[in-house]
Amino acid sequence: MSWYIAASLGSVSLLVACGGVATLVWGWLPPWLRSRIIRPVLFGWTQLTMAAALLAQLVGGRLIKTPDVRFAVTMSGAVVMLLAVGLIALAQHQPPRR
């Protein structure tokens, strides 16, 4: 992974993590998501999960030199990213009523 891809991935991860912290602490959502997100706390945790997945991709692609370990770390990042996509879908739906 070249340095400019790693720098871009790191800055996107930091931006997503800052958005997740802002959502969890203050309940802030970007204006384009306010009408869609029903559960902002779950969405904040989802953003932190996505930032962790992006960091796993960064660490696996740039810092780890052993091919088997690199594959395991980057694939775990991909699995966590898919989990985050599912959490985004849950954050957009109403919780079940009793």
Side-chain angles (χ1 to χ4, degrees):
M1 178 184 298
S2 38
W3 67 270
Y4 53 87
I5 295 174
S8 300
L9 197 57
S11 45
V12 167
S13 175
L14 182 65
L15 186 66
V16 170
C18 288
V21 169
T23 302
L24 286 174
V25 173
W26 295 293
W28 180 84
L29 286 169
W32 58 88
L33 291 175
R34 290 180 187 156
S35 64
R36 287 187 230 158
I37 302 299
I38 305 214
R39 297 189 262 182
V41 173
L42 180 61
F43 187 71
W45 285 110
T46 301
Q47 285 181 310
L48 291 179
T49 303
M50 192 166 291
L54 289 171
L55 281 177
Q57 294 282 327
L58 176 66
V59 167
R62 186 74 181 156
L63 300 178
I64 297 176
K65 301 299 180 196
T66 310
D68 293 337
V69 177
R70 179 187 305 155
F71 178 76
V73 170
T74 55
M75 285 302 112
S76 66
V79 168
V80 170
M81 187 71 74
L82 290 174
L83 173 72
V85 170
L87 287 174
I88 287 173
L90 284 176
Q92 291 179 353
H93 291 291
Q94 288 282 350
R97 305 234 184 242
R98 291 184 178 189

